[in-house]
Amino acid sequence: MKKLILVTGGTGYIGSHTVVELIENGYDVVIIDNLYNSEAEVVDRIAKITGTTPPLEVFDLCDAARLESFFRKYQNIDGIIHFAAYKAVGESVHKPLEYYRNNLVSLMNLLDSMKKTGIPAFVFSSSCTVYGQPEKLPVSEDSPIQPAVSPYGNTKQIGEEIIRDTISSDPNIRAIALRYFNPIGAHPSGLIGELPRGVPENLVPYITQTAYGLRDELKVFGNDYNTPDGSCIRDYLHVVDLAKAHVIAIERLIGNKNKSGFEIFNLGTGNGVSVLEAIKSFERATGVKVKYRITSRRAGDIEKIWADPSLANRELGWKTVSSLDEAMRTAWEWEKFIRKPHGNEN
Ligand code: WQD
């Protein structure tokens, strides 16, 4: 019998790519999403890619009564991958209570349901943001957690602690937290990708929108950092590589192959890339020039961070395969796809 996985936030950027990988690896999927930052139409695109339409239940995970009735409807769920959360760092500074309430109440409601229903496996979207500016690079999982610079980042730190304590109290629940570095790119079909609302905060959507002519120029936030070319360094990984890690993580939990109740893995390439190198990669991969200008630093930016992914390489048998150029090329294909009128999707 096929295993059934609940994917919360399954119409979002990383969620939708993970749903595709799950279906292609023989899982049944049900999605919960409140469509706060995504569109129901994504399910049709997932169907175009995979030939399967996963059911989408539209509601807010903070609604515990609604979640209980969901679990009465779907009684055979084998595991949960939890993406649904607010994720804008800047916005979280202005709306801290919204961020704490949304990200933490939804998490606690899900964990509560796992205790009640006996669902044993939980994969949590965490972030390299928990490391702040690490003293040692590349950063491994045992590097110290730094005080969070934003309420958003704090919800990821507190989220990991809530999971750890819940698991200590209940031997039937096992979990994996995946600390993502910087996911970029889009599905090679060009049918799903990142859809930022309004002006993008992240580098790659800003690059693709500038290349498309939607933005006048890209601002490079600082060239006076202590890095070879002066711009900040990050670890950019292809979203499809990232999605595949979730399939491995849920398999590991369902198959009871994890060594402890709660495991944490860095997901990155292991390579640090500067902002200026990222722009060059986009130009090389697409043949399209990006107009950019060096401006002042952005408040709260980390100077440099990249992953030591060796634990995930070793324990999960996972590593990134897609190059930076390939990720940039797919990001560009996706940008062009979403700017075209689609008419009837079918
Ligand atoms: C990357 C680099 C910018 C935009 C992300 C997520 C955050 C958290 C951590 C998940 C930086 C520079 C950007 C622009 C620029 N992830 N930049 N011009 O800062 O690593 O944060 O990872 O939990 O939610 O947002 O990613 O894409 O914003 O920036 O020069 O217009 O690009 O200064 O060096 P960041 P980013």
Side-chain angles (χ1 to χ4, degrees):
M1 257 238 320
K2 281 190 169 186
K3 302 279 187 205
L4 176 61
I5 309 300
L6 163 61
V7 180
T8 75
T11 57
Y13 175 42
I14 308 171
S16 58
H17 288 83
T18 300
V19 170
V20 166
E21 294 304 317
L22 285 166
I23 294 172
E24 290 186 340
N25 281 279
Y27 287 91
D28 280 334
V29 173
V30 55
I31 297 172
I32 299 177
D33 204 307
N34 66 359
L35 303 179
Y36 168 80
N37 197 22
S38 61
E39 276 150 23
E41 182 190 295
V42 169
V43 169
D44 303 328
R45 310 243 188 85
I46 291 171
K48 267 195 185 156
I49 299 169
T50 63
T52 301
T53 308
L56 166 65
E57 301 278 341
V58 179
F59 67 93
D60 195 318
L61 289 165
C62 293
D63 183 346
R66 179 69 185 79
L67 188 58
E68 256 186 51
S69 77
F70 168 87
F71 282 111
R72 279 196 297 275
K73 181 170 171 191
Y74 293 92
Q75 295 199 352
N76 53 345
I77 290 174
D78 295 287
I80 300 175
I81 306 181
H82 179 43
F83 293 104
Y86 292 164
K87 61 166 188 175
V89 177
E91 183 186 59
S92 78
V93 175
H94 303 291
K95 299 179 174 177
L97 293 177
E98 279 91 331
Y99 271 69
Y100 286 116
R101 187 177 299 111
N102 184 63
N103 291 6
L104 299 179
V105 172
S106 58
L107 171 65
M108 291 189 287
N109 284 348
L110 277 172
L111 292 170
D112 242 348
S113 306
M114 292 177 74
K115 284 174 98 74
K116 287 184 191 144
T117 58
I119 297 170
F122 190 73
V123 177
F124 180 62
S125 286
S126 191
S127 166
C128 67
T129 188
V130 302
Y131 298 119
Q133 175 61 68
E135 277 178 20
K136 253 182 51 205
L137 285 166
V139 61
S140 63
E141 290 81 355
D142 50 20
S143 304
I145 300 296
Q146 310 256 14
V149 290
S150 72
Y152 159 76
N154 212 14
T155 67
K156 293 298 172 189
Q157 292 190 4
I158 298 170
E160 287 190 1
E161 285 168 12
I162 290 173
I163 296 167
R164 180 176 291 112
D165 291 344
T166 305
I167 279 163
S168 307
S169 76
D170 188 338
N172 297 320
I173 302 179
R174 299 181 297 279
I176 291 178
L178 299 174
R179 291 179 179 160
Y180 315 150
F181 283 69
N182 290 55
I184 61 164
H187 195 265
S189 64
L191 292 170
I192 53 173
E194 187 173 12
L195 199 58
R197 291 210 199 276
V199 182
E201 287 200 28
N202 296 119
L203 178 64
V204 173
Y206 214 105
I207 290 179
T208 56
Q209 290 197 7
T210 307
Y212 199 81
L214 293 172
R215 312 275 158 213
D216 290 340
E217 60 178 11
L218 167 73
K219 294 181 189 67
V220 173
F221 297 137
N223 69 347
D224 55 352
Y225 285 99
N226 181 25
T227 60
D229 66 21
S231 64
C232 291
I233 293 181
R234 297 288 184 274
D235 186 336
Y236 299 95
L237 75 161
H238 196 299
V239 67
V240 173
D241 281 334
L242 180 59
K244 288 181 198 291
H246 293 77
V247 180
I248 298 172
I250 202 76
E251 250 161 29
R252 181 176 175 93
L253 290 167
I254 290 175
N256 212 352
K257 284 180 282 203
N258 50 324
K259 294 199 173 137
S260 66
F262 184 39
E263 293 180 308
I264 294 175
F265 296 100
N266 282 346
L267 298 180
T269 65
N271 300 321
V273 169
S274 75
V275 176
L276 294 172
E277 285 169 339
I279 296 169
K280 278 197 207 101
S281 163
F282 177 86
E283 293 182 337
R284 193 166 53 229
T286 63
V288 181
K289 285 267 165 228
V290 180
K291 192 172 167 217
Y292 71 88
R293 181 167 58 93
I294 311 285
T295 64
S296 52
R297 294 181 176 197
R298 179 172 73 176
D301 257 339
I302 302 291
E303 181 170 88
K304 50 189 163 198
I305 183 165
W306 63 93
D308 173 353
S310 54
L311 189 67
N313 298 163
R314 204 169 55 241
E315 288 293 324
L316 302 180
W318 172 89
K319 69 178 177 52
T320 58
V321 295
S322 186
S323 68
L324 180 64
D325 286 15
E326 175 59 10
M328 291 293 184
R329 195 190 61 74
T330 57
W332 179 232
E333 290 307 316
W334 165 246
E335 183 70 55
K336 289 188 289 184
F337 172 78
I338 45 169
R339 297 303 153 202
K340 278 195 226 122
H342 298 303
N344 185 346
E345 283 275 326
N346 302 315

